[in-house]
Amino acid sequence: MVSIAKDCHFTYKNCIDQVNNRTDVRNNCARFRLLIKFCIFKKCLHEPVEALIKHQYAHLFYLPSSILGDEILSEIFLSVLRQVSRIEFPLNLENASFLDLCWYLPEILNLELVPCKTLGLAVSFDENRAVIVNVEPNGVAAENGNIKIGDVLDQLNDVQINNTSKGRLNLIMKSNKPKPVKVRIVKGYCKDSGQIYGPIQILLKNLKIDLQSITTQYEENGNDIDTTKNKIFYGYQVKYMAKVDVGTLGNVKQVQKALRIIMDKNQEDMQLVKRTDKLALLEIGEIGLKIRGKDSADLILEHPYMKISSCGNIPILPKIFGYCAGEQTCDIAKQFFCYIFEAVSLEDADLILQSIGQGFHRTHYAV
């Protein structure tokens, strides 16, 4: 398609140049598909075929049994493409994110958000793409309700987001300071079809994110669904004992410090403690923890792993454990609290701590 451009008109050559200059196209398969889109939009899809036939290049690339290799069939095919080139196709040429995997295009969302230090998003990378695994309820990204868990962060401030962006997301955020933050989101769920976009569905499965939890974020009128109705909740039975202010540090020593405050009951230190002593269910999910009331199923606490900095217990109280979490993601949090629980058994306590440890060590990135 590139080599025959020299024998085509300017419009086709311009399509070739524009595709070659795109940084969001991942391989030659995607470039070919995007070029087809450009040619349809610019009404020049017939030109490369015309050049193949006119200059007798077709036999160099195609077998005699193929359409372009057959003299009569190739002329018929060319006449069809000439008719196609007379039709207006209002295509979105910016939408090319998943053309390396399929022709079917997802819904794209382009947003300009207010200048800010953080968007309130956490992403996890899979197959060279940044899947959104958490949206902070009070963050800038959550304000219009259009960005959901399961979407893909495609561009940030006009920078294509892929594996090379790991660890640089905050630098990319600051690169546009103090202008509005520009994001391009590939929607994981299509409201019109009522389905999760196929290539993103594969990413979600790889990251072990429950597909049902993605679809239940939406309903026909676009409002959030109350997913707590008529739902049975599962988790470890625990007693949620207390919340302890541990200051500006959230390491495992602060967990041990908080547990000793609870154990020693020193009156001065107890000022840092907010007692709760509620029976609860502790759910350990793929992207974070949820603590619900044992009988009511009301959500008491919710912490994504991006906010959890440490967890642990002390030998003298093996069934009692805690984890530290910041008010914001760990890398920028300035205030930490330790949440203390008592498990039903030693085995439960060990399993919970192991699961939390595995969770917050997963590679998630905050934006």
Side-chain angles (χ1 to χ4, degrees):
M1 297 293 279
V2 174
S3 62
I4 60 175
K6 65 182 189 314
D7 298 311
C8 298
H9 293 104
F10 172 78
T11 305
Y12 179 71
K13 293 177 182 177
N14 181 254
C15 290
I16 292 284
D17 291 340
Q18 289 192 61
V19 171
N20 281 333
N21 290 332
R22 290 284 288 269
T23 59
D24 57 337
V25 185
R26 295 169 180 264
N27 56 30
N28 283 336
C29 177
R31 291 184 189 282
F32 171 75
R33 288 170 173 169
L34 183 58
L35 178 60
I36 296 297
K37 285 184 63 178
F38 264 90
C39 290
I40 292 174
F41 182 80
K42 299 281 189 178
K43 300 183 178 181
C44 63
L45 187 59
H46 64 284
E47 290 191 14
V49 176
E50 196 171 62
L52 283 170
I53 295 172
K54 180 179 178 181
H55 298 282
Q56 299 183 345
Y57 295 148
H59 72 280
L60 299 175
F61 302 101
Y62 299 96
L63 296 173
S65 58
S66 67
I67 291 176
L68 285 175
D70 183 278
E71 185 176 350
I72 297 175
L73 292 178
S74 62
E75 288 291 347
I76 296 173
F77 182 54
L78 177 58
S79 68
V80 172
L81 293 183
R82 283 174 176 155
Q83 293 301 315
V84 170
S85 295
R86 295 181 179 182
I87 303 172
E88 295 281 349
F89 289 94
L91 302 177
N92 178 5
L93 300 179
E94 294 302 312
N95 192 347
S97 298
F98 282 86
L99 280 176
D100 55 318
L101 297 179
C102 68
W103 282 99
Y104 181 65
L105 295 172
E107 180 185 343
I108 294 290
L109 191 64
N110 288 297
L111 297 171
E112 278 199 4
L113 305 176
V114 296
C116 55
K117 292 182 179 180
T118 62
L119 293 178
L121 295 177
V123 300
S124 188
F125 286 85
D126 185 70
E127 299 291 339
N128 210 21
R129 288 181 168 90
V131 180
I132 295 171
V133 296
N134 187 57
V135 181
E136 292 289 335
N138 298 320
V140 172
E143 286 182 357
N144 60 19
N146 289 327
I147 301 176
K148 303 285 189 182
I149 294 172
D151 294 344
V152 169
L153 179 61
D154 193 46
Q155 285 190 2
L156 178 61
N157 287 337
D158 296 322
V159 177
Q160 192 67 26
I161 302 302
N162 50 40
N163 285 345
T164 63
S165 308
K166 291 179 180 179
R168 297 195 304 117
L169 293 175
N170 287 318
L171 290 175
I172 296 171
M173 274 283 293
K174 295 175 183 176
S175 67
N176 213 37
K177 188 178 179 181
K179 298 177 182 178
V181 181
K182 294 188 288 185
V183 296
R184 186 162 81 186
I185 301 293
V186 179
K187 295 298 294 177
Y189 178 84
C190 178
K191 292 182 184 178
D192 292 337
S193 67
Q195 296 179 338
I196 298 174
Y197 179 56
I200 290 181
Q201 188 173 132
I202 295 171
L203 300 178
L204 297 174
K205 287 180 178 178
N206 291 344
L207 293 171
K208 295 181 173 57
I209 295 175
D210 178 37
L211 299 184
Q212 185 62 37
S213 69
I214 302 301
T215 59
T216 52
Q217 295 177 103
Y218 304 85
E219 61 180 356
E220 288 184 6
N221 62 9
N223 296 326
D224 286 347
I225 296 173
D226 182 1
T227 58
T228 62
K229 293 179 180 178
N230 302 320
K231 182 176 178 182
I232 299 174
F233 294 98
Y234 300 94
Y236 291 96
Q237 292 190 35
V238 295
K239 179 194 282 187
Y240 173 32
M241 298 178 63
K243 173 183 176 181
V244 182
D245 185 342
V246 293
T248 58
L249 299 177
N251 55 43
V252 71
K253 289 184 179 179
Q254 304 308 308
V255 177
Q256 295 167 350
K257 172 185 172 182
L259 290 170
R260 288 194 172 91
I261 288 174
I262 295 295
M263 180 179 64
D264 297 340
K265 297 181 180 179
N266 181 289
Q267 197 63 37
E268 184 177 342
D269 290 337
M270 289 301 287
Q271 296 177 6
L272 302 172
V273 178
K274 180 181 178 181
R275 295 290 306 202
T276 49
D277 293 319
K278 294 180 180 178
L279 294 178
L281 294 174
L282 190 153
E283 301 175 28
I284 301 175
E286 179 62 25
I287 62 174
L289 306 180
K290 291 181 180 180
I291 290 86
R292 298 181 183 274
K294 184 178 182 297
D295 298 320
S296 66
D298 291 339
L299 189 64
I300 300 171
L301 294 171
E302 182 174 10
H303 288 121
Y305 294 124
M306 289 296 299
K307 289 186 175 182
I308 300 175
S309 56
S310 63
C311 64
N313 60 4
I314 53 178
I316 196 170
L317 298 170
K319 288 200 299 182
I320 298 177
F321 64 93
Y323 66 83
C324 282
E327 292 293 274
Q328 302 180 68
T329 54
C330 296
D331 54 344
I332 60 173
K334 296 180 180 179
Q335 180 69 48
F336 290 87
F337 293 90
C338 183
Y339 300 85
I340 298 175
F341 304 85
E342 182 176 6
V344 173
S345 65
L346 294 176
E347 182 181 4
D348 278 3
D350 288 341
L351 288 172
I352 291 169
L353 288 173
Q354 289 175 22
S355 299
I356 295 174
Q358 291 170 3
F360 68 72
H361 282 114
R362 289 189 182 96
T363 311
H364 294 165
Y365 298 84
V367 190

